[in-house]
Amino acid sequence: MKLLATIQKVPGGLMVVPLIFGAALNTIDQLHLPWITAILQWLGAGQTDSGQYEFLRIGGFSQELFKDGALVLIALFLFCSGSQMNLRVGGKALKKGALLVTAKYLTGLAVGVGLGLMFDPIDGLLGLSTVAIIAAMTNGNGGMYAALTSQYGNRSDTGAVAILSLNDGPFFTLMSLGLLGSQFPVIAFIAVLLPIALGMLLGNLDRDIRTFLKPGEILPVPFFAFALGANMNLAAFFNPEVVGAGLLLGVMTTILTGGVGILVFRLFREPSVIAPVSEATTAGNAAGTPAAIAAAAAVAANSGMMSAAEAQSYHDLVNIATSQISIATLTTAILGPIAVMLVDRWQKRRGIDGTLEDEPHLRAGEELGTAREG
């Protein structure tokens, strides 16, 4: 059976498919069907705190991995992702990466703040929270970016992915909420950043460690996706408001972050704009951000810097925000490649080949090589 190949055909499949599967099993679990309860009692399973029997709460390694392990697995993912952040990138790739990260982050922040002020930061337009907006719009799909720029872009476009790794994880969203007035203690930022920072340090000190940890960018994703889904109800994915909000979030990500990225590249005299359009997506791992923010809010509440009510509000939006971001991931996975192909055709009609570096000496060298081949 080609299960993995089938899952990977779905946009963001390694994140979305396990998430939905986990939600489906949890939905069945929460029905507390008599025949399932009878089997669990016969097997000797213990009751939950609510006095029910649930097959996702049987204790031991199974419960820790499939029900309660999301935050640990997300932390492992962040550690491994940090190890792939190569600090030894070329000047051109560094410039483009910095422009892309800045443009994408400020766009997501502006939209999140704007809609939060116009509607509500927790339950805004179509139920979109500021957390969901910033998490989805500031974290691009690195794998898709690399694939699109390797086909339609040039070497420095693809090299910028090393800098784009900075937007993996919840840090930018946490920083944004701090700027917007939520009181997170310094230790909450350290708690989020430490796995990324340690991974980055080890990965840059030893190339072998970076190679060893590289599978960790992918391997934990379906596991923490399932654990996140195992705390959700499948009905959330069939809620018209959630679907509508996720679709809107995906469209805004493609159009707004791509559009602002194009303007920034033009401002800095970059002829090709393939890179910003390729980055106008939502990463599947962004769905883990709401849970990480809720954990940071719990730390803030325990330290007295945030009220218990505010921390609870972050906890309450985890499921709906996760669902919305998952739908946005699917949406941008479809819209992103289409947008890149359209921009590539538009550029070529104006004599711009996105696969060529724009430095005069490189362009001259490529043209000379072509002439010699002729």
Side-chain angles (χ1 to χ4, degrees):
M1 296 179 68
K2 298 291 186 180
L3 290 178
L4 180 60
T6 302
I7 289 172
Q8 290 177 325
K9 289 179 181 178
V10 179
L14 284 178
M15 179 75 197
V16 174
V17 173
L19 183 78
I20 295 177
F21 185 49
L25 290 180
N26 185 58
T27 302
I28 296 172
D29 214 4
Q30 299 308 308
L31 293 175
H32 302 122
L33 299 174
W35 65 273
I36 293 179
T37 298
I39 292 174
L40 291 173
Q41 288 175 327
W42 179 74
L43 291 172
Q47 291 181 324
T48 65
D49 293 339
S50 61
Q52 303 289 346
Y53 291 88
E54 298 177 7
F55 54 77
L56 288 174
R57 293 187 185 276
I58 60 174
F61 296 132
S62 296
Q63 181 173 333
E64 290 298 323
L65 178 61
F66 298 120
K67 184 74 173 183
D68 300 334
L71 287 179
V72 174
L73 293 166
I74 291 172
L76 174 61
F77 162 78
L78 293 176
F79 182 89
C80 294
S81 294
S83 71
Q84 305 307 304
M85 296 179 187
N86 189 353
L87 300 181
R88 302 180 184 89
V89 295
K92 194 67 176 177
L94 177 64
K95 172 191 172 184
K96 289 184 176 180
L99 293 178
L100 291 171
V101 168
T102 303
K104 193 168 178 67
Y105 171 68
L106 292 180
T107 303
L109 177 62
V111 174
V113 172
L115 291 181
L117 292 175
M118 292 171 61
F119 298 95
D120 182 85
I122 299 297
D123 186 21
L125 177 64
L126 294 179
L128 278 175
S129 62
T130 300
V131 169
I133 293 170
I134 296 176
M137 295 188 70
T138 60
N139 188 350
N141 188 327
M144 181 172 290
Y145 174 87
L148 291 172
T149 54
S150 65
Q151 181 176 355
Y152 296 98
N154 52 52
R155 285 170 293 180
S156 59
D157 287 338
T158 305
V161 74
I163 306 301
L164 295 178
S165 300
L166 293 172
N167 65 24
D168 283 341
F171 175 67
F172 279 164
T173 306
L174 185 65
M175 183 174 68
S176 301
L177 295 174
L179 293 174
L180 297 176
S182 293
Q183 296 297 312
F184 292 96
V186 174
I187 195 65
F189 287 89
I190 293 175
V192 169
L193 274 179
L194 193 58
I196 303 174
L198 288 176
M200 185 188 303
L201 176 63
L202 291 173
N204 281 276
L205 285 176
D206 188 338
R207 184 178 298 176
D208 291 337
I209 291 179
R210 180 186 302 160
T211 302
F212 172 74
L213 293 174
K214 186 172 179 57
E217 281 194 299
I218 299 296
L219 188 58
V221 172
F223 291 95
F224 77 67
F226 183 93
L228 287 171
N231 289 278
M232 299 168 61
N233 194 301
L234 190 61
F237 287 92
F238 297 98
N239 184 333
E241 289 188 358
V242 172
V243 174
L247 290 172
L248 175 62
L249 190 53
V251 171
M252 288 194 303
T253 299
T254 298
I255 294 177
L256 296 180
T257 63
V260 172
I262 289 173
L263 292 176
V264 170
F265 263 47
R266 289 300 191 197
L267 181 63
F268 283 83
R269 301 181 183 278
E270 293 291 342
S272 174
V273 293
I274 291 296
V277 181
S278 299
E279 178 63 1
T281 57
T282 296
N285 58 60
T289 295
I293 296 300
V299 173
N302 290 335
S303 69
M305 294 189 67
M306 180 182 292
S307 68
E310 185 178 2
Q312 185 62 40
S313 68
Y314 284 118
H315 182 270
D316 291 342
L317 61 77
V318 169
N319 287 347
I320 188 170
T322 301
S323 303
Q324 292 165 342
I325 295 170
S326 298
I327 294 170
T329 299
L330 288 168
T331 304
T332 59
I334 296 170
L335 295 179
I338 295 174
V340 170
M341 287 186 288
L342 292 175
V343 168
D344 181 59
R345 292 176 185 174
W346 176 80
Q347 286 191 162
K348 286 181 176 176
R349 287 198 298 266
R350 285 158 177 76
I352 300 173
D353 186 346
T355 62
L356 300 178
E357 290 288 353
D358 55 284
E359 290 94 334
H361 67 283
L362 289 178
R363 184 181 294 275
E366 289 172 353
E367 291 175 349
L368 179 59
T370 302
R372 286 176 176 173
E373 290 176 1

